[in-house]
Amino acid sequence: MPSPPRHPRSPKFAARTDWDLRLNRWAAAAADARGTAGGFDLTITNPTAAGLEYPRERILAALAAPAALAYEPTPRGALAAREAVAAYYADRGAPVRPERLLLTASTSEAYSHLFRLLANPGERVHVPCPSYPLLDHLAAINDLELAPYPLWHAGGWHVDAAELERTINPRSRLLVVIHPNNPTGSYLTAEDWAALLDVAARHRMAILADEVFFDYAWDPSLRPLDLALAAAPNGPPVFLLNGLSKISALPQMKLGWLAALGGDDAWRQAALARLEVIADAYLSLSAPVQAAAAELLALRRELQPQILARLRANVAVLDSRLAGQRWVSRLSAAGGWMAVLRLPGWQGGEAWAEALLRQGVLAHPGEFYGFSGAPCLVVGLLTPPAAFTAGLDRLLEYVAQAAPPG
């Protein structure tokens, strides 16, 4: 990367910020294409831009609570807010007590707090691949080395525990799991969870379990493994991460949390005490959102059914359209807000994504999430159904036209 221009007397930038900020060809083309008339954006993941019906008056009334005017800094978060989060877990049948919770401004902040707690600069955090690229930046900002471990797809997604084991070294400190994974939409199986607990225990690692899409299983009969119940009291420490962003489709409210489960009780208490000091240094959590937490979490009962109906409808359309052609298939998934499409291999995912931009269809290339091998595209299932169907039809039509004869 070329060095940025600077005045001879200007200070140097920290090496951790030496990112290549230039847009690649696909990103530059996508920036030009967004908002173009006649185009279809199949990358929508922002629920506030997805045409959902929000109970505006209830949201605004919750934020106007008199408690929002008082400033009472409590590093772990206000007790009433933590009790509201504990009630969410109780609805899942998982007893997570308020004293095991620490509130943050976002799940990303929870990641950073745990990175600071558990790893020194240069130590290693293990993350699944494919997964969302935000983890790369969070690790780099916290001066940690990222070590991907593969998920493999064979009739379903599975953790490659043997390959994970090969990537572990004396600097390994943390093991990240995402349940369900973004973008593969795969929940951990009981067998994979047992293997991860075993790896973490033998190597004295903590597990960070990101569950932001947990409530969005496409099949109403599916009961995903609940890690809050599956964290063994005598096993390795497990930290669950979640927040309002996905649970109540309120990313702008900036309320996340971590729940400390599993492991030795004395160690867990020491961890929470240290996390309290870290959180106290940031003073980042908003009093109005904490005062409104119970009401904002209750809104999930209105918003989640809308989102689940949207996801299921778009998946049904997707599977119906794919059944009538030969070139594109959907990789198996069970939940989340994304779907992964496998395309013909005569060009890579980025090339497919660039070509589709010229057809007015915006979809993420699989390389953005770390896919390798057969080309993939990732599409967002929050897209309003009419636009999703029209964009998908245009995508499939273009692929069929691009196919070689025979």
Side-chain angles (χ1 to χ4, degrees):
M1 174 182 177
S3 299
R6 63 184 182 90
H7 188 275
R9 295 183 180 178
S10 299
K12 293 182 178 179
F13 293 110
R16 71 174 67 88
T17 67
D18 280 345
W19 304 300
D20 187 348
L21 299 178
R22 297 170 297 183
L23 296 178
N24 62 25
R25 282 174 39 190
W26 178 85
D32 291 339
R34 275 195 170 88
T36 302
F40 300 100
D41 187 349
L42 300 185
T43 67
I44 293 175
T45 56
N46 176 359
T48 68
L52 302 176
E53 294 184 13
Y54 281 87
R56 293 170 50 90
E57 306 310 320
R58 284 183 62 188
I59 294 171
L60 295 174
L63 294 172
L69 297 176
Y71 179 54
E72 297 179 6
T74 48
R76 294 196 190 191
L79 177 59
R82 284 184 284 126
E83 289 174 338
V85 174
Y88 159 77
Y89 284 104
D91 284 350
R92 283 171 41 174
V96 176
R97 299 196 300 272
E99 58 267 27
R100 294 194 177 186
L101 291 162
L102 185 138
L103 306 185
T104 61
S106 65
T107 305
S108 296
E109 186 176 69
Y111 269 112
S112 288
H113 285 358
L114 290 167
F115 287 172
R116 289 296 189 189
L117 172 72
L118 296 164
N120 293 310
E123 292 184 330
R124 179 170 280 200
V125 53
H126 298 260
V127 301
C129 184
S131 69
Y132 196 69
L134 175 65
L135 296 177
D136 301 52
H137 295 289
L138 290 175
I141 289 169
N142 286 281
D143 302 318
L144 301 183
E145 177 186 329
L146 202 69
Y149 64 88
L151 306 178
W152 54 277
H153 186 270
W157 290 95
H158 304 278
V159 173
D160 191 335
E163 185 59 32
L164 167 61
E165 191 80 44
R166 283 191 286 270
T167 67
I168 292 174
N169 66 24
R171 292 181 292 108
S172 297
R173 293 292 177 269
L174 302 117
L175 175 56
V176 172
V177 300
I178 305 175
H179 178 66
N181 182 269
N182 179 29
T184 67
S186 53
Y187 288 93
L188 289 169
T189 66
E191 293 76 17
D192 283 341
W193 179 241
L196 292 167
L197 287 174
D198 175 66
V199 169
R202 285 188 290 104
H203 295 280
R204 299 182 64 189
M205 298 166 66
I207 294 178
L208 279 59
D210 182 336
E211 293 192 307
V212 297
F213 290 107
F214 179 83
D215 294 329
Y216 296 99
W218 300 343
D219 182 349
S221 67
L222 177 65
R223 297 281 298 177
L225 177 69
D226 196 322
L227 304 186
L229 295 170
N234 297 317
V238 174
F239 294 91
L240 302 185
L241 282 62
N242 213 326
L244 283 178
S245 178
K246 305 301 186 297
I247 287 178
S248 295
L250 293 169
Q252 74 277 34
M253 294 304 171
K254 312 313 296 177
L255 175 61
W257 59 81
L258 61 88
L261 306 175
D264 174 75
D265 185 64
W267 184 94
R268 185 175 56 252
Q269 293 304 321
L272 284 166
R274 292 175 181 230
L275 283 165
E276 187 172 326
V277 175
I278 295 172
D280 194 34
Y282 283 86
L283 298 173
S284 60
L285 193 53
S286 157
V289 171
Q290 292 189 77
E295 179 70 356
L296 297 179
L297 278 165
L299 292 178
R300 71 185 186 278
R301 298 186 178 93
E302 293 186 32
L303 289 159
Q304 286 188 7
Q306 291 185 57
I307 293 172
L308 284 164
R310 172 81 55 88
L311 301 175
R312 290 164 182 161
N314 282 342
V315 170
V317 167
L318 180 56
D319 289 346
S320 173
R321 294 296 200 271
L322 295 182
Q325 52 80 59
R326 58 178 289 199
W327 295 110
V328 181
S329 60
R330 175 172 72 81
L331 299 187
S332 59
W337 293 3
M338 302 286 213
V340 181
L341 306 182
R342 178 170 286 166
L343 273 73
W346 57 76
Q347 60 182 350
E350 285 194 4
W352 276 115
E354 284 187 54
L356 284 164
L357 278 172
R358 294 191 287 271
Q359 307 301 313
V361 178
L362 185 62
H364 280 148
E367 291 90 336
F368 181 70
Y369 299 90
F371 282 93
S372 58
C376 293
L377 293 176
V378 177
V379 296
L381 297 171
L382 277 189
T383 306
F388 182 85
T389 301
L392 176 63
D393 286 344
R394 187 175 293 185
L395 183 156
L396 296 175
E397 179 183 6
Y398 173 74
V399 174
Q401 291 173 350

